[in-house]
Amino acid sequence: MTPADLSRTVLHAVRRAVDEDVLRAPVPARVRVERTRPGGSGDYACAVALQLAGPAALPALEVARILRERVAAEPGVGRVEITGPGFLSFTLDTRAESDRALLAAVREQGLAYGHGDALLGEVHQLHHAREIRAAVTAQAVRRLLAAQGARVRTTCAASPDPDWARLGLTVDGYGTPPVPLTGIRPVPAGAPAGELLDRLGPDALRWGLLRAAGHDRAALGPDLLVQGEANALFLVRYARARALALTRGAALLGFTADPAAYDDSPAWPAAAYGGRPADPAAYDEHPAGPAANDGSPADSAAHDNSPARPAAAYAGRPADPAARGDRRPSSTGPAVVSGSTGPAPYDPAARTLLDLIADHPDVLLAGARHRAPDRVARQLEAVAHAFFDFHDSCPPLPTGDEKPSAAHRARLAVAEAAGTVLAGGLSLLGIRAPEHL
């Protein structure tokens, strides 16, 4: 947040206090914000409370308290203190800047987000038994290691099972070569590859084999094929498909989620976190209409423009978290959109999702180092759940007669980043991420 941004934020707080009839004074044309002098408190300070005390017929300290509670709730502002006879001192929150950089990195790197060179120059040899879970795990570990810059060779104790070709599994050699090897020895699947493939198909089988930690037995029951949120694989793939549907819906409405288009906008931090933009002119005041929930599939044209989760995907259950009895209720409260009154702090749902996106590179590296693709699978589950909490709390698309705003562009950028993380993670596990479900 620049001094100009902070100045507009303070001016917006003055306007709100006057509109709410808490402060009876003329709204100044501008508010002067200056760097805090040596020995002072915070990053910036302003004397607007002293300026307004006379016209408002209130002590400057009382005016400062009125403004402090409004400015402190604005995204980008970490702390507001009252010093001296009524000066406001501001300490900025740097998260918004780091979040912009995070979203830009995901957009730039795409499916390779989280790949790196931490293991560059390392050579790994993975050796596994002639067993389907060991083979699938070895291939996933191989992809994770390669994504971190390592060179990897895999060998099997015996000639590969012919059914492995249906999963695209290959090995560089078989038998036990006379060199030290890293053994891949998960608990066996307990059934032949052909039987499991016939029953589950390649994607559900891979997820079932990789989701559990290697020392645990893999869950390979019919639940892997359920098309509902109780099935983690469906939830992950559907979240990615829904993110793509949001992009399509935004294009139909004439807007995109390019972070570079509003990096310097004071509205961006508030918009990204479900709050009100700092500049009232940054959006149109339209109340949000009802969320569409007609039960149509995720990839239908009608649902591309809806912020609600398609009810068909959840057996006809409503999209409102408060109306769903089978999913944990959202702790964020109602969404604060551009037509709402009053400021909002950073929405917890957005914060959770952005933190998980930021953690993704570390999870991929840990999965590679510890030969643990299950860590990646659990990360994807967490991202999918956080995506839908964010989706419900901070709708990326306008509803009813609401017009697209900076808030929607920012939220869409967050949703697209989540979709990219989900698609990239599934790819490393060898699982398809279809565009439509």
Side-chain angles (χ1 to χ4, degrees):
M1 180 178 283
T2 66
D5 297 339
L6 182 57
S7 175
R8 286 190 287 267
T9 299
V10 175
L11 183 59
H12 177 53
V14 174
R15 285 186 184 133
R16 286 187 50 248
V18 171
D19 290 344
E20 295 166 8
D21 203 29
V22 177
L23 188 64
R24 297 183 179 180
V27 178
R30 61 188 296 269
V31 171
R32 183 179 179 83
V33 174
E34 297 180 327
R35 277 281 185 186
T36 302
R37 296 177 182 177
S41 175
D43 301 316
Y44 294 95
C46 78
V48 66
L50 299 172
Q51 177 185 344
L52 297 175
L58 291 172
L61 287 173
E62 178 62 22
V63 175
R65 280 191 287 269
I66 290 172
L67 297 179
R68 178 179 63 179
E69 66 183 44
R70 288 161 175 79
V71 177
E74 293 287 352
V77 178
R79 185 173 72 254
V80 183
E81 300 173 273
I82 299 174
T83 59
F87 291 100
L88 289 172
S89 298
F90 309 99
T91 301
L92 300 185
D93 190 328
T94 60
R95 290 182 298 180
E97 192 66 34
S98 63
D99 290 339
R100 281 196 293 268
L102 170 66
L103 296 179
V106 177
R107 177 176 288 270
E108 179 182 351
Q109 297 171 30
L111 299 184
Y113 171 67
H115 296 203
D117 57 3
L119 306 182
L120 188 65
E122 294 187 11
V123 178
H124 296 263
Q125 296 195 51
L126 308 178
H127 188 69
H128 60 86
R130 189 180 186 270
E131 190 273 330
I132 183 59
R133 188 180 183 192
V136 168
T137 302
Q139 291 295 314
V141 171
R142 178 176 189 159
R143 281 187 291 268
L144 289 171
L145 288 168
Q148 301 302 322
R151 295 170 57 197
V152 190
R153 184 173 186 267
T154 59
T155 57
C156 181
S159 60
D161 185 327
D163 284 317
W164 291 2
R166 296 165 59 186
L167 279 168
L169 297 178
T170 60
V171 295
D172 296 314
Y174 57 91
T176 303
V179 293
L181 299 170
T182 298
I184 302 295
R185 293 184 290 271
V187 174
E195 175 188 326
L196 293 171
L197 278 165
D198 291 340
R199 179 158 54 87
L200 298 173
D203 290 328
L205 176 57
R206 282 185 186 274
W207 180 269
L209 294 173
L210 296 173
R211 169 59 182 83
H215 57 268
D216 293 328
R217 187 170 296 280
L220 301 174
D223 291 349
L224 289 169
L225 301 177
V226 172
Q227 298 294 290
E229 65 178 322
N231 178 4
L233 174 59
F234 173 81
L235 191 72
V236 169
R237 297 171 85 184
Y238 180 68
R240 193 264 177 167
R242 182 63 191 144
L244 293 177
L246 292 172
T247 300
R248 294 193 299 270
L252 292 174
L253 294 173
F255 73 97
T256 61
D258 182 4
Y262 45 91
D263 265 357
D264 298 323
S265 167
W268 195 95
Y273 291 98
R276 184 182 179 91
D279 182 359
Y283 57 82
D284 296 293
E285 295 282 354
H286 290 276
N293 188 16
D294 58 6
S296 56
D299 58 347
S300 68
H303 236 85
D304 273 358
N305 295 330
S306 167
R309 305 186 211 188
Y314 297 97
R317 294 190 290 277
D320 181 2
R324 291 197 308 268
D326 62 328
R327 180 171 163 78
R328 65 187 186 281
S330 172
S331 61
T332 63
V336 182
V337 294
S338 61
S340 303
T341 58
Y346 286 176
D347 191 293
R351 183 72 265 150
T352 298
L353 180 55
L354 285 163
D355 286 346
L356 285 167
I357 292 171
D359 289 343
H360 188 64
D362 290 338
V363 173
L364 295 186
L365 180 57
R369 281 180 167 159
H370 296 281
R371 320 289 190 266
D374 58 288
R375 297 191 180 195
V376 179
R378 288 195 296 273
Q379 161 79 356
L380 298 183
E381 286 183 53
V383 172
H385 281 288
F387 168 84
F388 281 120
D389 285 343
F390 169 76
H391 186 287
D392 293 339
S393 182
C394 310
L397 299 184
T399 58
D401 59 357
E402 186 182 12
K403 293 182 179 179
S405 67
H408 298 109
R409 293 195 297 273
R411 296 171 191 168
L412 184 60
V414 177
E416 287 184 347
T420 298
V421 165
L422 293 170
L426 286 172
S427 176
L428 287 173
L429 297 180
I431 299 171
R432 293 179 304 114
E435 295 187 5
H436 303 276
L437 279 179

